[in-house]
Each structure stands twice: as structure tokens, then as C-alpha cells.
Amino acid sequence: EANAALEQRVSERTAELDRRNQGMRLAEGEYAVRCSAAQYVEPAAQAATLIRNETSTLNWSLAVGGAMSGRVLSPGGAGVSGAVVRVAGTVSGGAVKAATTDGSGAFSVRGLPAGTYRVVATAPAFGAGERAGVAVADGQTTAGVTVSLTSSSVITGHVTDARTGLPLAGAVGVDGAVSRLEPGATDAGGQYTLTGLTPGRQTVWCAAAGYFQQLKEVETSTNVATVVDFALRPVGHISGV
């Protein structure tokens, strides 16, 4: 019955992809084709040679693999809703699966190849949490995986023109060993605030159109706003005949 249900789901998925790909045309040549489905282990890519006016058919056998479930908790022990959980195999180091926690902080990830995993959880207003060495076996669910988020730090400041002192519209982001954050934009007054940073040494960068980018190294602490201001120099122009 389980095999029949699996075949039915794969058949439905194939029919859906057929409908989506009607009218797709690819140039002749060699291709590496991958197949993935949310609840299954991603199989190896297959090579395909496309020839004009011919149809190439590729088949994959999808394995169910193992699963993992657990909760993401705040520093105070409460479940965190909307946290993003990323699961990466320790051998390849690449992200394998991702999930988002429900209202109680619970998450579930399926379709994992047997192995050992590193689990990282992130959520706004918190520092990232990590759980390493989580073992998963084929056909089994590793339950009770708890990832605790950390107290976060905040970086705030102003972005101005170094010559005039007027506020600038720019982007500010963090890219470092302890934190990596998507850039945030300044407001009309050149003010920015970055939250949810893991305390520690941060590399903060600032960029604006027509100005040289700046980098600054700062040390942040828990529940303390670190002020980092940027005064950007405009890019020069040379003209002549």
C-alpha cells in the first residue's frame, strides 16, 4: 500500500510538471538534469543529449529517506513561530532542506538521506541557534531535535555624504563569521537599524549609488545597540576630449 501511494504521488507530480512544461523548448546539446520533490531524497543528476525533433525521456526512482522533527525555542524557552530551520549534511556541507516553524515553534523536515546533520535556526530579533551531530536513518524520524536561539544584538546608525553631511539613501548589511544578514535600506533621514545579530565581532558594510563602499569592524554585545555611522565619499569623474 505504501509503494502504491508513493507511485500515485510521483505520477501526480509528473503530470503536474508535464502541464507546466508544455511548450518549453531547449537548444540542442548536452544537459545535466536534476529532479527534486519536497518529501523525497534528491537523486543524482542525469545526463541528457537533446536532438532536434526528438524527445528525451528520463526516469528517477525517488527514495523516502529519513525525517527530522523538533522545536525552535527562544532564550527563555518559549516556542518561536516563523523561524527558518536549515538542515545541512556534515559531509557535503551544503544546505539540504529547509522548513519554517509553526505557531508552537515546531518543525518537520522529510526526504533526508541517512547521515549526520547540522541544524541552524534563525528568526527576527534573535541570534541564530545551532544543533550539530543530529543523526538520521532511512525510514525513521529523528524526533525531539531542539534548537535554542540566542539573545541578539543590534547595530544602528546614520549614512551621510562625507562632503555635505546630508543623509544618503543607501544599503547597510553584515557579512562576517558570527552573523550574515541581508542588507537593510536607510530611511529618508539616512537612519538604519539591523536586528537579530549574533553577539560578537561583525563586519558591517555600507553602499550607495555614486559613492565608494565602506567596511567597518565592530564588536557587538547582547541587548546593546552598537552605533555605526558611515560618511561616504562620492566617486570622482574624469571627462575630456
Side-chain angles (χ1 to χ4, degrees), residues 141-234:
T141 297
T142 300
V145 178
T146 300
V147 182
S148 295
L149 298 175
T150 59
S151 297
S152 66
S153 59
V154 176
I155 294 177
T156 187
H158 285 86
V159 179
T160 58
D161 184 306
R163 295 184 306 176
T164 66
L166 295 176
L168 287 178
V172 183
V174 172
D175 189 359
V178 297
S179 294
R180 188 179 299 272
L181 194 67
E182 291 298 316
T186 60
D187 62 17
Q191 174 78 33
Y192 75 90
T193 301
L194 304 176
T195 62
L197 297 167
T198 301
R201 192 156 189 80
Q202 319 281 359
T203 300
V204 190
W205 59 265
C206 178
Y211 291 82
F212 289 105
Q213 180 174 322
Q214 277 189 14
L215 297 176
K216 291 189 176 183
E217 296 283 340
V218 299
E219 191 79 25
T220 60
S221 302
T222 302
N223 299 324
V224 175
T226 301
V227 178
V228 182
D229 293 326
F230 291 93
L232 302 185
R233 293 185 298 109

Side-chain angles (χ1 to χ4, degrees), residues 51-112:
I51 302 173
R52 184 182 296 274
N53 297 325
E54 292 188 11
T55 299
S56 295
T57 301
L58 300 177
N59 296 309
W60 280 271
S61 178
L62 300 182
V64 175
M68 180 191 304
S69 64
R71 293 185 72 203
V72 176
L73 305 179
S74 69
V80 177
S81 172
V84 176
V85 180
R86 293 181 175 87
V87 177
T90 57
V91 175
S92 64
V96 177
K97 296 283 185 179
T100 302
T101 59
D102 63 15
S104 67
F107 71 90
S108 178
V109 180
R110 301 182 182 277
L112 297 172

